[in-house]
Amino acid sequence: DRCGHNMLFICLTLEGTSSVICGDECRMLNSGDLMVLDCINAHHYRSECDCWKFMWIQVNGSDIHTLFHTFAPKGLFFRHLQDTSFIHELYQKLVAIIKNPSPLHEIDVSELIDCFIYQLARYSAMGEDDALPVGLTHALTYIQDHIHEELTLETMAAAAGYSVYYFSRAFTKHFGVSPYRYVINLRLHHAARMLITTEESVEKIASLSKFSGVSRFISFFRRHYGVTPLQYRKAKANEPHRV
């Protein structure tokens, strides 16, 4: 029974049954049920049997909260999953990163959680656990492979085999963000890596990350991470590695 925590609570029921109350929502969770809620809201959950086994993760960050609320405006998401393997994979990857922290662990965690929230956005948009269309899979691969090159809606749509109009609508429907925002976020992740792992100047990193000007890069970076690139680099240099 709690509220006021600025984080998302991700919970997958493995065995047993629980009840959850958040605002005017009251749900029962059974095996295979996924719940994500914004802990800033007053909520209550408890076991409804002798043994409720669940896997849970708590995360925070302004970007993931913003994206989450685009498809869960009440701060609550439920879905029964026939295939829970991607949740187990996410959990295992996060645990491995936490147990073996490195200068890049925060960025790695951010990328994993971003991908997870995009997946939830897709589930919400589709209304069921449909597979990602092959065209969008090709587009994601293309974006990853060409993230340090010029990317336009035309080239991304061509990689998907869609028209520009259809690609933009399909991408936003499945991932909850526009192709433009997805590319910006991915480039910011890569830029953050370079800030930690290289001594390149902010100007050089902005250029390598294909931002049109250092001031634009700094503006996007501050909005995403809450600090300037130089402040981020300095903080990470002085930050002890902790579990």
Side-chain angles (χ1 to χ4, degrees):
D1 190 9
R2 59 181 185 170
C3 66
H5 295 265
N6 187 28
M7 60 185 67
L8 296 183
F9 178 58
I10 303 166
C11 174
L12 173 69
T13 294
L14 304 175
E15 295 179 18
T17 306
S18 70
S19 61
V20 179
I21 299 174
C22 183
D24 57 359
E25 289 271 6
C26 181
R27 295 290 189 98
M28 300 294 291
L29 297 178
N30 298 299
S31 178
D33 287 346
L34 174 69
M35 173 189 70
V36 184
L37 64 82
D38 188 342
C39 295
I40 203 72
N41 302 322
H43 57 281
H44 173 91
Y45 55 90
R46 70 178 186 183
S47 172
E48 294 295 337
C49 60
D50 292 336
C51 180
W52 173 37
K53 293 181 65 176
F54 61 96
M55 179 183 295
W56 64 275
I57 305 166
Q58 289 189 161
V59 296
N60 61 13
S62 59
D63 273 7
I64 60 171
H65 276 80
T66 299
L67 177 57
F68 178 64
H69 279 272
T70 62
F71 62 87
K74 293 185 178 181
L76 194 60
F77 175 91
F78 291 100
R79 178 57 53 89
H80 178 74
L81 302 176
Q82 296 295 334
D83 181 6
T84 62
S85 59
F86 81 102
I87 305 290
H88 290 271
E89 183 179 356
L90 170 70
Y91 185 86
Q92 291 166 1
K93 288 181 177 179
L94 289 174
V95 169
I97 292 171
I98 293 170
K99 286 185 174 180
N100 299 283
S102 74
L104 300 177
H105 75 277
E106 186 173 295
I107 300 172
D108 291 335
V109 167
S110 181
E111 289 181 349
L112 286 172
I113 297 300
D114 277 355
C115 289
F116 170 74
I117 297 298
Y118 290 144
Q119 182 85 323
L120 295 191
R122 180 177 71 82
Y123 283 168
S124 179
M126 295 302 295
E128 56 186 23
D129 301 343
D130 290 337
L132 189 67
V134 173
L136 290 184
T137 300
H138 290 164
L140 291 181
T141 300
Y142 180 84
I143 292 170
Q144 290 279 354
D145 292 343
H146 298 81
I147 194 63
H148 295 302
E149 303 171 20
E150 294 296 335
L151 285 169
T152 66
L153 272 177
E154 287 76 13
T155 58
M156 290 185 284
Y162 298 156
S163 70
V164 170
Y165 176 76
Y166 184 82
F167 170 71
S168 184
R169 285 176 57 87
F171 194 101
T172 303
K173 178 181 179 180
H174 279 79
F175 297 107
V177 294
S178 68
Y180 173 75
R181 171 51 62 182
Y182 182 88
V183 169
I184 290 294
N185 286 347
L186 189 57
R187 284 176 170 166
L188 288 171
H189 286 311
H190 283 271
R193 283 178 179 273
M194 284 188 277
L195 285 166
I196 295 174
T197 60
T198 76
E199 296 182 358
E200 296 285 3
S201 67
V202 172
E203 291 80 5
K204 181 67 172 179
I205 291 175
S207 176
L208 292 172
S209 302
K210 293 302 178 184
F211 285 92
S212 57
V214 66
S215 61
R216 187 172 177 81
F217 167 60
I218 293 173
S219 176
F220 275 114
F221 195 94
R222 188 201 297 270
R223 195 180 309 163
H224 190 84
Y225 289 102
V227 294
T228 67
L230 285 179
Q231 289 170 333
Y232 184 88
R233 171 177 274 171
K234 183 177 180 180
K236 293 304 173 184
N238 296 328
E239 184 180 87
H241 298 163
R242 300 187 300 270
V243 175

